Amino acid sequence: MVAAATGSQPLHTSRMSARPNATRRVLATVATTSLLATALGAGIASGSTRTGPGPEAGSDAALTVPFALVEDRDVDDRLPQPEDRFALAGGCYTIETADGYVTRGSETSAALGAAADAEAFLLRATELGRYLIVADEGLSTEVEGAWWSDRSYLTATPGALLPGQLGVRLADAPSFDGDWAVLPASGDADARDESGQSYLLSLPDSDLAPLAGTEVTFHLADSCAVWPEITTNTSGQPAPNPDGPQAPAQGFFEAHVHGMAYEFLGGELRCGSPWHRWGVEHALPDCSADGTNANGGLEVALAGQDPSDPVASYDPVGWPTFSYWPKHDTLTHEQYYYKWLERAYHGGLRLTTILLVENTALCQLYPEKKNSCNEMDSVRLQAQRMFELQDYIDAQAGGPGEGWLRIITTPAQARRTINDGRLAIVLGIEVSELFDCREVLDQPQCTKESITTSLTEVADMGVRQMELLNKFDSALAGVTGDGGSTGMVVNQGQKLVSQHYWDMRTCGEPFSSEGFGHEHEGDQHDKTQINFNDDATGGNADEIDVLAGIIISQFGPAAGPAPVYPAGPHCNSRGLTELGVHLIDEMVTNGILFDPDHMSAKAQQQALDHLEKVVVPRLHDAAEQNGTAARMPGVLSSHSWGNDVIYQRIFDLDGVIAPRTTSADRFVGRYLERRAWHQEHAPSGAFFGLGYGADTNGLGGQPGPRDNPAQPITYGEAGFPAPIGDVTIFQQVSGVRAYDVNTDGVAHYGLFADWFQELLLSAREQGGDALAAQLTTDMLNGAEDYLLTWERAVYGSNDCVVDGSTPQLEDLHALVGGDLELFLKSVGQPVSRDGSAWVYCVEGADGEAETITITFDESGDATGATPGGAVTPNGALDGHDDDLAATGGGAAGIAGLLLGAAGLLAGLARRGRREG
């Protein structure tokens, strides 16, 4: 049995020498290997440096870059000359050469002249260290209400030059002939010009190279062009956590969004992109081709409008009018522009999983494409694009590591990022043929060896969360399918890729005969297919993933004879395959979070049975044998593509649930349901936070307006406060279009800041101030809940019980001086954390349990170890009772810890863990 520690009973001592040895091994290897690779084994590598501005579409993905948070001079706090080449971003400068200042020779030409005649140029960053050099041509007359400037761009002059000519002109549009790289005078891109005076200009992507090798000096000026850009319409900035970088994280958690989906399905289906090096006019453009409605017919069909009059019902123009798009039910237009994302971040978002997405069948069916339809090629490309976006945001902020968004690869990086007041991004995958694992007539097109190799590759990219499939059965598992009329069409796609339809049968009890029963009550079924037996066969009422069905119906081959299904509820006969089990095991080994969404009910049940009955006991055995913290598989549902029983079983495993977003009043109901499930099924005292899965830029729409709300959002001049940070939210305006969530719903991602406020209002309507406060707390705990789950998957947890993995006192003392990552991978997550102080339950020198507090400095280095410490309910992790009082060392503290041990034992028994 697992023995609890008491004040008089000596601890189990069979592993007393194992952990110090393990700690020494960690300390010895950390100097020569990646911290993450050391913690997890050979399955994940990190720290590879990406170079260059980014290859063309279809090339290999960028590798993960070293994580860094840089705090430097605010880019808007301008010096007379820029402190380095990155500090030019967004600044207004004159340009001096050895022969004079750059002046305006005529309306379209540039010349050299006196300082008094120097042209003031806006330097707009296109990437790190590269700029458009922009001249002001007066207030734009493009549309009524325009507030930005018409502009010209300092651009290389083609052709032969006469003696004394400068070799540049003022062009009316940006191009690579005017996309200038700025280097220190030394020519070393990594060098810093300490004088802040001299730089070199060049054109890396142009055949023209005027001024190359010519030294220039930038002088601060004013009255430059006003650049057209979407703003957040917020005041204030998200502030660092006052409790310190190692404190519990606070902020909303988005579990499922497709930020780089502009490159999926061949890269030509959707209009717009999250950013463009030359600005919003190019990122959110007119979606027509030659003035016609290029994809208007498809968009009209998607939006349920009148296809006979596409001109009247569909306006392709984006910036600056946005009269038609984006809107909450558009599926072929960009909704995740980076400034809209920044507004959601200002509204409280602090952690997001960007899922790299693709579907080979849909890509092949759609007639226009520029990218490979291979799903893993698309994953590589989208990962690269995500790192490019991070660089672009850094470029606007003034240099590498200075932006408000960071791609992270470990829970420790995420915690530091969030507590620094920034947005942490996790990379994930959602595709139908993961690792090229298609099945054709039940014959897999991949092997265990190819799966392991592919998993190592995507882990190197930074991927830390995955689903096994999406729309179709694969060699890994069966799919839950789509319901109703959409299911009829998507089933034709299933036949196309695998040469068979879904094998949906009336559910009954199809799993118990195969030994996969469990104690949960409730229905487990897949999406209901249209049949002749049921009165209503609409499937999931919340199902809005319709883009796949539209593409297949419009561009697919003639439909064949679909199966005649029996009465519902329906269950796919295909479950989890041997290859799927292998992949899940590999994901657990590598600390990658597993999302069973979209798997068939049978496959989901088999997967969770395998985790509970095989993986968890195996991990605990390994912890005892190795003297390490016991890891737990990290499981989450990211956007409600499971069933109620599966969600409850995820809570059994202390996992995370992020319901699919919907209108605010309905989402409050989902919150209440999941909170009740957590209280019933999660381990005693387990931490609770709620995320959400918007699926933005995916296959479905976004939350629409609330129906007749008793209290709509009132914007007004005062705006409303964000629920975290010193930020005020005002009505959002993009170009000349004002958005109102009361009537527009979540038309673009920036309006999630408004949707968060709607949740508060809806909760107050349904349950008063108490419910509103509880919902706000639980959703702001969403980021922490995810981090705790991820920590248990990567580093392991310590529960103040003697199971062979409780660290010894000398272990923690040996680690003082090390960094945060070293602590976590050596002794697992603490039993509680408060600011920069972490409390561990350890085995003392006398063999009895005691607590010890580890303090960290702002850089994350451990500075001290002090006996005693509080184990609080809020910080208590797996297995601590809700009533656990704050405890320190000594007899009183040990008595308190007994409560946590008892809670753990109850949780272990309920979850079917092995007896020690």
Side-chain angles (χ1 to χ4, degrees):
M1 294 294 292
V2 177
T6 68
S8 58
Q9 179 182 350
L11 293 171
H12 178 65
T13 59
S14 64
R15 305 303 314 166
M16 283 191 67
S17 62
R19 183 175 288 277
N21 290 336
T23 299
R24 284 194 289 271
R25 288 196 299 271
V26 169
L27 291 169
T29 56
V30 71
T32 57
T33 59
S34 158
L35 290 176
L36 186 59
T38 302
L40 304 181
I44 293 179
S46 65
S48 301
T49 302
R50 188 167 55 96
T51 60
E56 293 301 315
S59 62
D60 289 341
L63 296 177
T64 56
V65 296
F67 173 76
L69 290 178
V70 176
E71 294 185 13
D72 204 345
R73 182 188 301 274
D74 190 323
V75 73
D76 294 322
D77 183 12
R78 304 283 173 184
L79 298 174
Q81 281 83 39
E83 61 178 315
D84 59 30
R85 67 195 184 105
F86 305 115
L88 290 161
C92 184
Y93 297 94
T94 60
I95 303 174
E96 181 186 10
T97 74
D99 298 318
Y101 286 79
V102 178
T103 65
R104 185 185 291 268
S106 67
E107 289 186 0
T108 60
S109 67
L112 293 176
D117 299 323
E119 182 75 11
F121 292 103
L122 170 70
L123 273 81
R124 175 69 184 186
T126 60
E127 62 177 78
L128 284 165
R130 289 179 60 168
Y131 300 91
L132 298 175
I133 301 178
V134 185
D136 188 2
E137 302 298 341
L139 182 66
S140 174
T141 58
E142 179 182 6
V143 295
E144 183 178 357
W147 43 263
W148 56 92
S149 300
D150 284 331
R151 302 161 312 284
S152 59
Y153 303 85
L154 197 67
T155 304
T157 301
L161 299 177
L162 297 174
Q165 287 188 331
L166 183 59
V168 290
R169 61 192 175 95
L170 294 174
D172 59 2
S175 71
F176 282 109
D177 290 339
D179 196 330
W180 299 91
V182 178
L183 294 175
S186 66
D188 183 355
D190 295 323
R192 185 184 182 96
D193 185 353
E194 297 296 341
S195 68
Q197 297 290 325
S198 298
Y199 297 90
L200 301 177
L201 297 179
S202 65
L203 292 168
D205 294 314
S206 171
D207 294 331
L208 307 172
L211 299 186
T214 301
E215 292 190 15
V216 301
T217 302
F218 295 96
H219 299 276
L220 193 63
D222 52 22
S223 300
C224 275
V226 177
W227 185 258
E229 182 56 281
I230 290 172
T231 62
T232 62
N233 297 107
T234 61
S235 66
Q237 289 291 325
N241 189 335
D243 292 332
Q246 319 311 341
Q250 286 281 292
F252 296 132
F253 164 52
E254 156 73 281
H256 193 112
V257 65
H258 299 294
M260 300 297 107
Y262 76 103
E263 293 282 19
F264 97 133
L265 298 184
E268 295 287 4
L269 171 67
R270 306 185 72 258
C271 177
S273 58
W275 88 103
H276 192 286
R277 65 186 304 114
W278 296 329
V280 65
E281 297 155 303
H282 298 263
L284 305 175
D286 186 332
C287 295
S288 63
D290 300 325
T292 62
N293 294 326
N295 67 340
L298 179 60
E299 178 59 35
V300 166
L302 289 168
Q305 300 186 26
D306 180 6
S308 65
D309 189 13
V311 174
S313 59
Y314 171 68
D315 182 355
V317 176
W319 173 273
T321 54
F322 296 112
S323 61
Y324 175 88
W325 71 273
K327 61 179 187 173
H328 74 89
D329 56 358
T330 184
L331 300 182
T332 61
H333 296 98
E334 184 60 52
Q335 295 174 294
Y336 204 69
Y337 186 64
Y338 85 102
K339 296 298 290 188
W340 291 331
L341 172 60
E342 186 179 6
R343 175 179 168 89
Y345 152 65
H346 280 207
L349 182 66
R350 293 295 184 272
L351 179 63
T352 292
T353 298
I354 299 285
L355 288 165
L356 314 172
V357 61
E358 190 54 86
N359 187 292
T360 295
L362 302 183
C363 177
Q364 290 174 337
L365 289 175
Y366 191 68
E368 301 294 331
K369 58 185 67 70
K370 62 182 177 65
N371 298 333
S372 166
C373 286
N374 178 272
E375 295 187 358
M376 297 313 296
D377 284 347
S378 190
V379 164
R380 297 179 185 103
L381 177 61
Q382 291 175 51
Q384 174 186 307
R385 294 293 183 248
M386 193 62 226
F387 282 104
E388 291 172 358
L389 174 58
Q390 178 179 254
D391 286 352
Y392 183 79
I393 292 172
D394 278 356
Q396 312 311 314
E402 296 193 42
W404 48 267
L405 174 150
R406 295 257 65 78
I407 300 171
I408 50 90
T409 56
T410 73
Q413 292 176 356
R415 186 176 302 281
R416 184 180 171 196
T417 297
I418 294 168
N419 284 331
D420 196 54
R422 308 197 209 191
L423 175 64
I425 298 292
V426 178
L427 296 183
I429 296 179
E430 180 191 38
V431 297
S432 283
E433 297 175 7
L434 181 63
F435 303 153
D436 300 316
C437 283
R438 177 184 291 196
E439 57 89 5
V440 179
L441 294 176
D442 287 323
Q443 295 302 308
Q445 308 299 299
C446 60
T447 65
K448 290 182 179 179
E449 292 74 20
S450 68
I451 288 171
T452 299
T453 299
S454 296
L455 183 67
T456 300
E457 180 195 3
V458 300
D460 286 345
M461 293 179 199
V463 170
R464 298 295 184 266
Q465 177 181 318
M466 292 198 313
E467 298 177 21
L468 265 59
L469 46 67
N470 181 233
K471 285 294 172 187
F472 307 124
D473 294 333
S474 77
L476 303 172
V479 73
T480 193
D482 288 76
S485 58
T486 298
M488 291 182 64
V489 179
V490 175
N491 207 357
Q492 298 294 333
Q494 176 68 68
K495 181 67 162 60
L496 181 67
V497 300
S498 65
Q499 299 182 30
H500 65 74
Y501 290 103
W502 295 324
D503 185 20
M504 296 288 184
R505 307 176 184 180
T506 304
C507 289
E509 297 182 0
F511 313 142
S512 58
S513 62
E514 299 179 32
F516 292 106
H518 56 86
E519 72 272 20
H520 284 273
E521 297 180 358
D523 293 332
Q524 292 186 90
H525 56 80
D526 295 311
K527 299 298 184 286
T528 301
Q529 305 303 303
I530 289 179
N531 61 85
F532 298 113
N533 300 283
D534 297 327
D535 293 332
T537 56
N540 186 343
D542 298 322
E543 202 173 304
I544 52 176
D545 284 11
V546 298
L547 182 57
I550 294 291
I551 293 173
I552 293 171
S553 63
Q554 292 216 358
F555 304 109
V564 178
Y565 289 112
H570 290 141
C571 286
N572 192 340
S573 70
R574 288 177 170 82
L576 185 67
T577 70
E578 184 178 345
L579 291 173
V581 171
H582 172 74
L583 176 55
I584 291 172
D585 285 345
E586 291 289 281
M587 290 171 65
V588 171
T589 298
N590 288 280
I592 295 176
L593 275 66
F594 165 57
D595 181 353
D597 278 9
H598 286 292
M599 293 167 65
S600 68
K602 180 177 181 179
Q604 289 180 331
Q605 178 171 317
Q606 290 171 326
L608 295 191
D609 280 344
H610 178 68
L611 291 176
E612 289 178 348
K613 299 175 182 179
V614 178
V615 174
V616 169
R618 186 168 64 207
L619 291 173
H620 277 260
D621 285 339
E624 284 198 33
Q625 293 169 12
N626 300 326
T628 57
R631 296 196 295 120
M632 282 284 290
V635 187
L636 81 157
S637 170
S638 66
H639 68 324
S640 300
W641 272 85
N643 58 65
D644 290 357
V645 173
I646 291 301
Y647 304 143
Q648 294 165 30
R649 295 188 68 188
I650 289 174
F651 282 140
D652 279 347
L653 286 163
D654 214 354
V656 180
I657 301 294
R660 179 68 155 84
T661 52
T662 183
S663 61
D665 46 359
R666 295 178 64 196
F667 190 87
V668 172
R670 294 183 178 183
Y671 155 72
L672 291 171
E673 180 180 56
R674 280 144 181 84
R675 195 174 202 282
W677 286 342
H678 184 271
Q679 290 175 336
E680 180 180 358
H681 294 282
S684 179
F687 190 88
F688 177 67
L690 190 77
Y692 69 92
D695 209 6
T696 306
N697 279 6
L699 304 177
Q702 298 304 295
R706 285 186 292 161
D707 295 330
N708 300 315
Q711 184 181 356
I713 286 182
T714 302
Y715 291 100
E717 294 184 0
F720 55 86
I724 185 173
D726 188 18
V727 176
T728 302
I729 310 294
F730 302 96
Q731 187 169 9
Q732 207 285 314
V733 179
S734 295
V736 296
R737 164 73 191 276
Y739 286 91
D740 186 336
V741 74
N742 296 298
T743 55
D744 295 317
V746 182
H748 59 67
Y749 201 83
L751 294 174
F752 272 109
D754 311 58
W755 182 79
F756 298 148
Q757 179 70 6
E758 280 197 307
L759 290 179
L760 182 66
L761 297 177
S762 296
R764 186 170 291 125
E765 291 172 6
Q766 296 181 45
D769 290 342
L771 178 59
Q774 186 64 63
L775 179 142
T776 302
T777 296
D778 288 341
M779 290 203 66
L780 288 177
N781 281 338
E784 178 68 9
D785 198 5
Y786 184 86
L787 294 187
L788 294 178
T789 299
W790 193 9
E791 282 182 349
R792 290 190 288 271
V794 175
Y795 309 120
S797 61
N798 284 302
D799 300 308
C800 288
V801 295
V802 183
D803 60 359
S805 62
T806 301
Q808 296 179 27
L809 184 61
E810 60 187 276
D811 296 342
L812 274 71
H813 282 293
L815 290 166
V816 170
D819 64 17
L820 179 64
E821 198 92 43
L822 176 63
F823 244 91
L824 286 165
K825 67 186 177 67
S826 300
V827 292
Q829 64 186 175
V831 293
S832 69
R833 46 169 64 90
D834 181 11
S836 60
W838 288 15
V839 178
Y840 281 90
C841 182
V842 299
E843 178 181 347
D846 57 0
E848 296 184 355
E850 58 185 82
T851 56
I852 185 170
T853 297
I854 305 297
T855 54
F856 297 90
D857 60 22
E858 292 185 359
S859 65
D861 295 333
T863 57
T866 305
V871 182
T872 62
N874 185 53
L877 304 180
D878 184 12
H880 290 279
D881 193 272
D882 287 323
D883 298 327
L884 181 60
T887 61
I894 300 305
L897 294 175
L898 272 171
L899 295 174
L904 173 67
L905 290 173
L908 294 181
R910 184 169 60 246
R911 292 202 301 260
R913 286 181 178 173
R914 62 137 181 95
E915 291 187 357

